[in-house]
Amino acid sequence: MEITPAHYALLSAALFIIGVVGVLVRRNIIIIFMSIELILNAVNINLVANARHLENLVGQVFVVFVIAVAAAEAAVGLGILLAFFRNKETVNIDEMNVMRW
Amino acid sequence: MSNTANFPLLSLIMFTPLVGAGVLLFVSKPNAIRWIANGFAMLGFLVSLPLWFWLDTTSPDWQFVERHEWIPSIGAEYFIGVDGFSVLLILLATLMGAIAVLSSWTAITERLKEYYIFLLVLQAGMIGAFVSLDFLLFFVFWEVMLVPMYFLIGIWGSANRLYSAIKFFLFTLVGSVIMLLGILAVYFYNHEVTGVYTFDITRFHELNMPIELQTWVFLAFFLGFAVKVPMFPFHTWLPDAHTDAPTAGSVILAAVLLKMGTYGFIRFSLPILPEATRNAVPWVVALCIIGIIYGALVAMAQTDWKRLVAYSSVSHMGLVMLGLFALTPVGITGSILQQINHGIATGGLFLLVGVVYERRHTREISEYGGLAKVMPAYAAVFLVLTMSSIGLPTLNGFIGEVLILQGIFVVNKVWAGFAATGIVLSAAYMLWLYQRTMWGTVDNPKNEHLPDLNLREWATFAPLLILAVWIGLYPKPFLDRLETSVDRVMARVSSVYPPRNVLHDDGQDAAELPALDGDVSDVIEIPVRGGAR
Amino acid sequence: MDLIWLIPLLPGIGAALNGLLGVRYFSKRVAAGVACVTMGGALLLSIGAFYQLLGAEHREHVVTVAQWIPPIPLATASGEIGAFEVPWAFRLDPLSGMMILIVTGIGFLIHLYSVAYMDHESRGAYARFFCYLNLFCFFMLMLVLGSTFLVMFVGWEGVGLCSYLLIGFWYHKQSASDAGKKAFIVNRVGDWGFMLGIFLIFFTFGTLDFRAVAEAAAEMPVEVGGFGVLSAICLLLFVGAVGKSAQIPLHIWLPDAMEGPTPVSALIHAATMVTAGVYMVGRNAVLFSHAPMVMQVVAWVGVLTALLAATIGLVQTDIKKVLAYSTVSQLGYMFLATGVGAFGAAAFHLMTHAFFKALLFLGSGSVIHAMNDEQDLRRMGNMRLYMPVTFITMFVGSLAIAGVPPFSGFFSKDEILYRTYLNNKLLWGLAVVTAGMTAFYMFRLIFMTFFGEYRGPSWGHQEGEDHAEAHAAADDGHDADAQGHAWHGPHESPGLMTGPLWMLAVGASVAGLVGIPAAFGFRNLIEPFLEPSFTAGAAHEATEHAESHLLEWGLMGFSVLIAIAGIALAYHFYVRRPERSEQLAKHWAGAHRWLTNKYYVDELYGATAIKGTIGSARGLWTVDRHVVDGAVNGAGWLTRACAWVSHVFDKYLVDGMFNLLAWVCTEGSYVFRRVQTGLIQNYAVATLFGVFAFVTMYLIARYVG
């Protein structure tokens, strides 16, 4: 079976949906982070596939940027998380309500 | 215009105190703050010393010039340079700055860091104003000086400090806002004539404005500068500010800040507005003479030591302004020299008040008496500075007084006669003060064990005493440096005045110009020769 | 002669040493040594310079040491006046040569005298005293040697300062500090005139050099019957002289100046400084002789001062006050001489007066010293037994001042009287009356002090005499009675004090011999010698007096008679019939009160000038606080009032609208904040639904509508 761009699109869509659902329904913030990474990687797969398909390297370049930004975001996010955990000793997102009115 | 130093000496002088202020931001130990502040103030004085030696006293050009773009869209530049006059004032500012910082060693114990930062910033502002050749730049520095002084009075002052600080600030600000209008008027007129937007005062010095405009601009400048001098009747901020300021603040205020006003007159009013200046002479002279006598009389009525010295300042600055508006070379030279003298004498007197204030925390004259017995060295220094202040020959004040009075005498004998009554009155109030504080018996038990001057205090007075005697005995080095500055002003305000250095420099022209020390008949020949050609 | 600049400088160095180091570190011996050595050096230099001057062909020598004020052009609208330029220049000519000899000579003797006189002062005060004394000599020599008006003015004000400091030397005494201040301020009033005179001179002549001014003035016409620029100059200069030389109406400071230590009174307030006015007028003889109107003023001021001061001197009971009024009176004599054009006679009298008045003051100091600081004549008496040297020397001095031949005062005073007689008989009459009074009050002083009963405080006779002898033996054995703890009665002063007295007594006796009138058949040496200083051109031949010698003899005899009459009267009233003087005082109580109160001049000035100044000072201070500052504060108040109005407007109207808006928002937020759960996932769901909604809307719009 030949792997067509449609396959990649499907895979990426699946990953994306898994990620979105994960973000929306999970309570552990680390899992939420991982779900966000899933979303980003879904986008990456899509970009790589289309770059290949269109024979344009810009898409691959973009992926590198996304990975870099994702790494930075993860670092900052985990930093905040660590600081939060030290104060509250929890990673449950329902208890993160200090910004709430 | 030249920069004989070939490196930005003036900027160095100006930024040294600022760097010091920056360094102080990162220091927190009290003694470290003191040492660093003193170090930078001293350094500021040392780097300004080359000006004295490197200044070319024969060149009529601006020297040590630096010129860079600043706000090109309106033609404002970072344009700085000096002549002999500003060199003397810069040296006065750096010296008095160093002395003021040194004098605060034990007097200030709270918020040290902020205090010294404000002092250093103030010094940078003063130097900046003295070196600016761009009117807008000058104005910026002029305003910059207000802020640290405001805080110095307002935070470290005595009882009535907030009132005094605000009064000082508002009074000066009102004057300077009106002055800004004047500046803008000149700026736009210059554009109208030359088509160039610039604040370059060397160009303004060549303007010939119509007399109506000159008059209005003169009034605007006059308000700005006269408040700062201060001239009667704009003087009332001065006694309050002096009385309530901390010692160092009073010293700087008297020695340097007041000179800002007279500097403004010499640098801006007179050369930019020569006709209006000439027309204003009788009015200004009247205010000066009132100021001299009024200041002296009010000083006599004071019971507060510092306020007395402050009012004597009003009287002395009246004399300075009088010499200026004589519009004769002798008068202007004397006026400039007297500015230096006033800085030394009155600055020193404020330091002296500070010394006893630190020991007794009162300025009431009646609290003292008989100090000559308890503090003989203090009494001796006080005597010398008192004599300098009342113009005793062999001390500095005399030279300035004689030149000013001689300068005004040739213009109008009656004016000189009235102005000279100042020498009687000043002797009266200063000697009375001396008698009430130094002489007599020690009636107040609190005064019985006051310590005499310590080494640090001696260090603050020594340079002043040396300068007082030096200028009194041999003022030539100072007067030589003023020659070209005075000529520049005279060339603008007097149509017949031949600048001195033109004569010295080209021998060929010298033959045709009247000899300076020749008799009167030589001079009268000028129009005749002109007509013959 | 090129070293004349060293003459003032030496005492200056002495003053600097004593002032900077001495007060703190020097022992008494070193302090006194420094002062005396520098003065001695100056004296030797002066003698050397004077000797050279005598031998010189051209008796004028100017030494320019350095530039002081470099040339600054002085131009007015009408043209150039000249360059204002003042060098540090010193001029040695006959007049200044005579003056430096007086100043350094008498100054040196008084320094020696002070070594002993001031011995009971503390170490610091001792050095301070010699510092001031040296400083005074520095300025005084600068005054007499100065070659331009401004250098002279330096000395002029400088001696004023030293006078101030020395009068107020015992600054803890209220009277001393008052007197010092008074002297300085009154002098400053005179200096006001002097200064304006200097300005006018520069304005007129374009130079301040004495010689140049004199030469230029000599070219100008004599202002007979008019009041021209020369008259104005001279009048202004004379105001200065009046201040310094304590003439009416500025004479009030000199009697008060007696608060200073006695050597100071001798040096400054008798021999040198107060004569500076006479010297200055003499120095400008050319100017003054071109202004006859001012000369009249000078002569009248002089003679009136002489007369009034002498009348006050008649009744004073303080030994130094008598001498002070006598000084004022003698200075008046000198001005009388200059006023009638006898500049040489004035200078001559200045010299003889310096000798005998310094002698009298030092003698009185010796008496005061012996009496343990008692100055009241009424508490002395019969002192000639205790202090013979002082008595003899003072007696010589009194003979000299009274004008008894052949003592010095006779010749100089007679010369003045003779020249006055030639000029104006009325002036002469007043001067002769003064001469009689002078003889009277001086011998009143002598008789009250040295004759009659001892009226002073008593002391322990028995043990005292041994001690007194011991005292006389040791020059400096005077420490014991420093504060009057152990006073052993009047005693002769130590050798360091009597030595100068002897020398001055010799001077007072013979100094007159240099000016013996031609009538005696000798040559008058001093007047021709001084002549070049009083004229502009080359030295003139000394003019012989045209009048017959007979007249001169007659006048001389008359004035000697007057002097002897005065002495005899004093003898009658104070030795033979002491009670008569008191009866007289009672009989003329009104006049006596006027005299003892010095014609109430001090009170007059107190009520007018001083009260007026202080009053206007207080008044202006009130004005300053309430009117000038009131305007400022009023402006401030007005601004604040306006600010308050805008504040109200702002608070309730402008701000009110915004507050209303804010209130609405606040109330609204109660509803809307329910939505803000703070849970990211809630927001994400909302976003997701939003996206769905928009996509749905888009699709519907695209494919349905």
Side-chain angles (χ1 to χ4, degrees):
Chain A
M1 186 182 90
E2 199 192 345
I3 310 266
T4 61
H7 291 100
Y8 289 107
L10 274 177
L11 172 64
S12 118
L15 272 176
F16 187 82
I17 287 168
I18 293 168
V20 168
V21 171
V23 168
L24 291 185
V25 302
R26 298 307 295 260
R27 284 291 170 266
N28 188 325
I29 193 153
I30 296 185
I31 308 250
I32 292 175
F33 261 119
M34 287 159 64
S35 304
I36 291 172
E37 292 298 317
L38 273 185
I39 294 173
L40 290 171
N41 282 324
V43 173
N44 285 347
I45 290 170
N46 210 342
L47 283 168
V48 171
N50 281 306
R52 171 80 178 151
H53 176 65
L54 298 172
E55 299 192 338
N56 184 341
L57 283 179
V58 174
Q60 300 200 8
V61 172
F62 233 89
V63 169
V64 177
F65 272 105
V66 171
I67 290 171
V69 171
E73 173 249 317
V76 173
L78 286 173
I80 295 173
L81 194 62
L82 271 176
F84 182 79
F85 184 75
R86 279 188 192 144
N87 279 325
K88 291 262 179 174
E89 301 202 339
T90 173
V91 286
N92 189 339
I93 199 162
D94 284 344
E95 291 173 37
M96 294 190 187
N97 55 2
V98 285
M99 297 290 280
R100 200 175 154 204
W101 172 74
Chain B
M1 274 170 242
S2 60
N3 188 345
T4 41
N6 282 327
F7 85 98
L9 181 61
L10 292 180
S11 295
L12 181 68
I13 295 168
M14 188 160 79
F15 284 110
T16 305
L18 273 188
V19 171
V23 170
L24 281 182
L25 281 175
F26 303 102
V27 186
S28 54
K29 278 188 187 154
N31 268 333
I33 292 175
R34 291 193 174 109
W35 278 108
I36 290 173
N38 273 290
F40 272 97
M42 198 62 221
L43 187 69
F45 175 60
L46 290 181
V47 294
S48 67
L49 272 183
L51 284 181
W52 172 264
F53 298 104
W54 295 352
L55 183 83
D56 180 359
T57 56
T58 56
S59 158
D61 288 336
W62 296 99
Q63 299 177 39
F64 305 102
V65 167
E66 292 167 44
R67 194 163 197 167
H68 308 286
E69 279 195 340
W70 176 35
I71 315 176
S73 52
I74 58 167
E77 292 168 298
Y78 179 77
F79 179 25
I80 60 178
V82 291
D83 60 359
F85 171 37
S86 24
V87 163
L88 290 191
L89 285 180
I90 291 166
L91 287 168
L92 182 71
T94 54
L95 175 67
M96 295 312 288
I99 289 175
V101 170
L102 185 58
S103 75
S104 318
W105 194 285
T106 52
I108 302 296
T109 49
E110 282 175 17
R111 303 195 192 201
L112 273 183
K113 183 193 281 192
E114 293 89 333
Y115 177 81
Y116 284 112
I117 287 176
F118 280 133
L119 267 185
L120 289 172
V121 170
L122 178 62
Q123 195 178 342
M126 293 184 306
I127 297 168
F130 286 138
V131 297
S132 299
L133 292 181
D134 185 284
F135 218 149
L136 198 66
L137 191 63
F138 170 80
F139 188 75
V140 168
F141 283 119
W142 172 277
E143 298 286 307
V144 159
M145 287 179 306
L146 286 184
V147 181
M149 198 66 218
Y150 170 75
F151 284 115
L152 283 175
I153 300 173
I155 298 175
W156 293 274
S158 54
N160 211 1
R161 57 180 176 263
L162 280 181
Y163 170 76
S164 301
I166 293 171
K167 193 171 180 180
F168 161 76
F169 196 91
L170 288 183
F171 225 126
T172 322
L173 202 65
V174 169
S176 52
V177 165
I178 296 170
M179 181 177 82
L180 182 62
L181 288 180
I183 297 176
L184 292 178
V186 180
Y187 172 71
F188 286 116
Y189 178 79
N190 181 56
H191 174 251
E192 219 170 88
V193 178
T194 62
V196 185
Y197 281 120
T198 180
F199 286 100
D200 179 348
I201 63 157
T202 59
R203 295 205 188 201
F204 289 175
H205 281 181
E206 287 154 12
L207 277 181
N208 287 309
M209 301 208 286
I211 182 69
E212 297 82 24
L213 184 60
Q214 278 200 23
T215 309
W216 285 110
V217 174
F218 182 86
L219 275 177
F221 283 8
F222 182 81
L223 267 178
F225 297 136
V227 165
K228 201 83 170 185
V229 168
M231 288 185 72
F232 177 86
F234 307 113
H235 63 274
T236 54
W237 64 268
L238 180 90
D240 283 323
H242 268 315
T243 312
D244 288 322
T247 301
S250 298
V251 171
I252 295 277
L253 190 60
V256 193
L257 241 55
L258 301 191
K259 311 305 173 305
M260 232 24 107
T262 45
Y263 174 83
F265 275 109
I266 297 176
R267 185 67 84 226
F268 305 108
S269 284
L270 266 56
I272 298 178
L273 315 158
E275 281 91 18
T277 304
R278 279 203 291 274
N279 292 342
V281 164
W283 304 100
V284 179
V285 165
L287 286 183
C288 291
I289 291 174
I290 293 175
I292 291 171
I293 297 172
Y294 181 92
L297 284 175
V298 177
M300 212 177 285
Q302 297 307 314
T303 53
D304 179 312
W305 195 335
K306 219 169 170 185
R307 200 175 277 269
L308 191 156
V309 181
Y311 271 107
S312 84
S313 256
V314 175
S315 181
H316 286 147
M317 290 310 281
L319 195 66
V320 169
M321 286 298 292
L322 184 72
L324 202 53
F325 275 79
L327 303 183
T328 54
V330 169
I332 296 179
T333 309
S335 164
I336 297 176
L337 191 69
Q338 190 69 353
Q339 292 175 31
I340 309 292
N341 296 339
H342 176 261
I344 293 168
T346 309
L349 287 174
F350 277 121
L351 274 180
L352 282 162
V353 183
V355 168
V356 285
Y357 184 71
E358 207 183 314
R359 287 160 171 63
R360 286 277 282 102
H361 297 286
T362 176
R363 294 179 310 254
E364 278 300 310
I365 293 170
S366 54
E367 285 278 318
Y368 297 99
L371 290 194
K373 186 155 190 62
V374 194
M375 309 168 73
Y378 178 82
V381 174
F382 191 27
L383 180 72
V384 175
L385 289 175
T386 297
M387 289 301 148
S388 158
S389 167
I390 67 179
L392 188 93
T394 68
L395 291 176
N396 54 356
F398 175 68
I399 312 277
E401 244 175 50
V402 161
L403 291 178
I404 289 171
L405 290 174
Q406 179 74 69
I408 196 78
F409 189 89
V410 298
V411 179
N412 188 317
K413 294 167 191 63
V414 178
W415 293 348
F418 275 108
T421 55
I423 69 164
V424 182
L425 293 173
S426 67
Y429 65 74
M430 282 312 289
L431 292 187
W432 196 22
L433 172 68
Y434 196 80
Q435 184 193 19
R436 284 183 288 173
T437 54
M438 298 295 125
W439 283 2
T441 48
V442 189
D443 297 327
N444 194 332
K446 289 178 198 159
N447 293 334
E448 270 166 17
H449 301 291
L450 294 183
D452 208 342
L453 297 182
N454 59 32
L455 202 63
R456 179 182 58 81
E457 283 157 350
W458 266 116
T460 59
F461 290 117
L464 300 180
L465 299 181
I466 291 170
L467 273 175
V469 176
W470 178 17
I471 299 180
L473 292 179
Y474 193 64
K476 190 174 181 315
F478 293 84
L479 297 176
D480 282 348
R481 279 166 177 75
L482 295 177
E483 211 171 88
T484 55
S485 312
V486 173
D487 280 354
R488 176 180 299 118
V489 177
M490 280 310 294
R492 285 288 287 176
V493 294
S494 160
S495 46
V496 295
Y497 179 74
R500 276 167 280 183
N501 279 300
V502 176
L503 287 177
H504 300 320
D505 289 349
D506 7 22
Q508 296 209 310
D509 279 354
E512 294 186 19
L513 282 164
L516 276 178
D517 41 3
D519 54 5
V520 179
S521 62
D522 256 18
V523 180
I524 296 170
E525 276 177 39
I526 312 175
V528 180
R529 285 184 192 166
R533 278 182 215 136
Chain C
M1 278 196 283
D2 285 328
L3 287 177
I4 52 171
W5 55 274
L6 260 179
I7 298 175
L9 195 63
L10 273 177
I13 292 170
L17 279 178
N18 263 335
L20 295 177
L21 303 173
V23 176
R24 196 163 287 193
Y25 304 112
F26 286 177
S27 68
K28 280 189 182 181
R29 202 171 281 272
V30 176
V34 165
C36 293
V37 165
T38 49
M39 265 321 281
L43 175 60
L44 290 180
L45 278 172
S46 306
I47 293 172
F50 191 75
Y51 184 73
Q52 281 183 334
L53 184 74
L54 283 180
E57 182 71 20
H58 185 62
R59 282 180 177 168
E60 184 177 30
H61 191 76
V62 177
V63 177
T64 305
V65 180
Q67 213 169 17
W68 182 22
I69 298 178
I72 307 168
L74 190 48
T76 59
S78 56
E80 189 91 23
I81 292 168
F84 189 81
E85 178 183 12
V86 187
W88 280 117
F90 298 106
R91 172 185 308 270
L92 186 67
D93 66 355
L95 185 59
S96 59
M98 183 191 88
M99 288 301 287
I100 56 172
L101 281 187
I102 294 174
V103 175
T104 54
I106 294 182
F108 180 64
L109 290 178
I110 289 175
H111 270 73
L112 287 182
Y113 180 91
S114 310
V115 171
Y117 188 85
M118 299 303 287
D119 201 43
H120 56 272
E121 291 295 322
S122 71
R123 196 182 55 79
Y126 195 72
R128 188 161 60 89
F129 179 80
F130 279 104
C131 165
Y132 293 164
L133 212 56
N134 262 1
L135 192 66
F136 169 78
C137 291
F138 165 73
F139 279 122
M140 189 66 209
L141 289 164
M142 187 99 89
L143 192 162
V144 296
L145 280 173
S147 175
T148 71
F149 280 95
L150 217 57
V151 177
M152 182 191 220
F153 191 71
V154 170
W156 187 271
E157 287 248 297
V159 291
L161 166 71
C162 298
S163 156
Y164 163 73
L165 291 172
L166 284 165
I167 296 170
F169 181 74
W170 289 311
Y171 53 77
H172 49 86
K173 274 163 55 184
Q174 180 70 24
S175 55
S177 64
D178 277 342
K181 186 181 63 179
K182 182 174 177 183
F184 198 96
I185 294 171
V186 172
N187 264 302
R188 272 262 159 153
V189 175
D191 293 349
W192 175 84
F194 193 5
M195 231 170 154
L196 289 180
I198 292 176
F199 297 146
L200 187 55
I201 286 169
F202 185 81
F203 183 70
T204 313
F205 300 107
T207 175
L208 287 178
D209 185 79
F210 285 128
R211 175 57 55 189
V213 168
E215 274 163 10
E219 304 291 312
M220 296 167 79
V222 177
E223 288 168 354
V224 187
F227 192 84
V229 65
L230 289 179
S231 304
I233 290 174
C234 292
L235 197 62
L236 286 169
L237 291 181
F238 184 61
V239 170
V242 162
K244 186 101 322 187
S245 293
Q247 298 295 294
I248 290 174
L250 298 181
H251 63 287
I252 46 166
W253 66 269
L254 186 55
D256 287 18
M258 297 302 131
E259 288 291 340
T262 306
V264 171
S265 310
L267 179 61
I268 301 184
H269 305 121
T272 54
M273 183 185 89
V274 287
T275 60
V278 182
Y279 169 77
M280 188 254 270
V281 175
R283 177 52 83 200
N284 297 303
V286 179
L287 288 177
F288 275 86
S289 41
H290 279 67
M293 213 188 242
V294 180
M295 292 284 270
Q296 284 296 308
V297 174
V298 174
W300 276 102
V301 168
V303 80
L304 286 178
T305 310
L307 186 65
L308 292 182
T311 54
I312 298 173
L314 293 177
V315 300
Q316 292 299 312
T317 51
D318 182 317
I319 185 166
K320 284 179 77 180
K321 284 271 166 74
V322 176
L323 290 173
Y325 279 105
S326 154
T327 306
V328 175
S329 171
Q330 295 299 312
L331 290 167
Y333 252 104
M334 296 176 211
F335 277 108
L336 170 64
T338 55
V340 299
F343 296 105
F348 183 30
H349 194 58
L350 191 164
M351 182 188 75
T352 56
H353 174 257
F355 279 110
F356 59 68
K357 191 51 69 62
L359 168 62
L360 287 168
F361 264 113
L362 293 188
S364 77
S366 179
V367 172
I368 294 167
H369 202 64
M371 292 293 293
N372 201 21
D373 293 340
E374 177 59 64
Q375 302 196 4
D376 196 330
L377 286 173
R378 288 167 299 190
R379 294 171 63 77
M380 296 177 182
N382 213 12
M383 300 288 285
R384 68 178 190 279
L385 294 186
Y386 304 107
M387 34 198 337
V389 177
T390 308
F391 166 62
I392 293 169
T393 49
M394 270 189 93
F395 196 77
V396 169
S398 301
L399 287 176
I401 193 176
V404 175
F407 297 99
S408 60
F410 165 72
F411 297 104
S412 55
K413 190 183 274 186
D414 218 63
E415 183 70 16
I416 294 175
L417 288 175
Y418 173 62
R419 298 290 296 271
T420 310
Y421 182 81
L422 296 183
N423 188 284
N424 186 329
K425 307 282 185 295
L426 182 56
L427 287 176
W428 175 81
L430 292 174
V432 168
V433 171
T434 309
M437 289 187 193
T438 307
F440 178 80
Y441 67 67
M442 279 315 301
F443 277 86
R444 168 175 174 266
L445 184 151
I446 293 289
F447 293 143
M448 283 181 86
T449 312
F450 294 103
F451 291 80
E453 291 291 302
Y454 176 76
R455 300 179 295 275
S458 58
W459 69 95
H461 270 284
Q462 258 60 24
E463 45 191 296
E465 297 204 327
D466 305 338
H467 279 268
E469 277 170 30
H471 269 285
D475 278 354
D476 52 356
H478 211 273
D479 301 338
D481 56 5
Q483 305 305 324
H485 299 304
W487 181 59
H488 310 300
H491 53 82
E492 185 57 274
S493 300
L496 261 178
M497 284 164 73
T498 50
L501 287 179
W502 278 120
M503 279 185 252
L504 286 171
V506 172
S509 318
V510 302
L513 300 181
V514 297
I516 299 176
F520 279 109
F522 293 103
R523 271 185 59 213
N524 184 333
L525 294 172
I526 187 159
E527 289 191 31
F529 170 70
L530 290 173
E531 192 64 23
S533 296
F534 300 134
T535 52
H540 293 289
E541 283 298 306
T543 45
E544 274 298 310
H545 303 314
E547 305 293 322
S548 71
H549 287 170
L550 199 64
L551 175 66
E552 211 173 337
W553 278 105
L555 289 172
M556 232 182 272
F558 186 67
S559 61
V560 172
L561 272 182
I562 291 280
I564 290 173
I567 296 170
L569 211 59
Y571 185 71
H572 179 73
F573 276 135
Y574 293 99
V575 182
R576 279 182 48 203
R577 312 272 307 275
E579 72 284 356
R580 284 281 292 153
S581 61
E582 274 152 42
Q583 287 167 4
L584 211 63
K586 284 209 187 78
H587 192 251
W588 298 96
H592 191 258
R593 199 161 53 241
W594 272 82
L595 291 181
T596 42
N597 286 300
K598 309 142 202 167
Y599 296 104
Y600 295 101
V601 176
D602 273 324
E603 284 76 7
L604 177 71
Y605 287 163
T608 54
I610 298 170
K611 211 169 174 190
T613 312
I614 302 273
S616 58
R618 299 248 157 84
L620 283 178
W621 168 221
T622 316
V623 168
D624 198 63
R625 263 179 308 173
H626 294 121
V627 181
V628 184
D629 207 28
V632 176
N633 285 335
W637 181 85
L638 198 67
T639 317
R640 286 183 58 178
C642 293
W644 184 78
V645 171
S646 358
H647 163 75
V648 170
F649 180 79
D650 200 57
K651 188 169 170 188
Y652 295 106
L653 211 68
V654 183
D655 210 25
M657 281 166 63
F658 288 99
N659 283 341
L660 185 68
L661 194 63
W663 180 80
V664 169
C665 292
T666 317
E667 291 303 307
S669 73
Y670 281 107
V671 179
F672 291 112
R673 71 181 173 203
R674 299 282 168 208
V675 181
Q676 309 292 326
T677 58
L679 296 176
I680 299 174
Q681 285 163 324
N682 290 4
Y683 301 152
V685 170
T687 313
L688 202 65
F689 279 112
V691 170
F692 282 144
F694 279 117
V695 170
T696 316
M697 274 165 65
Y698 174 74
L699 292 176
I700 290 170
R702 179 118 183 230
Y703 298 106
V704 180

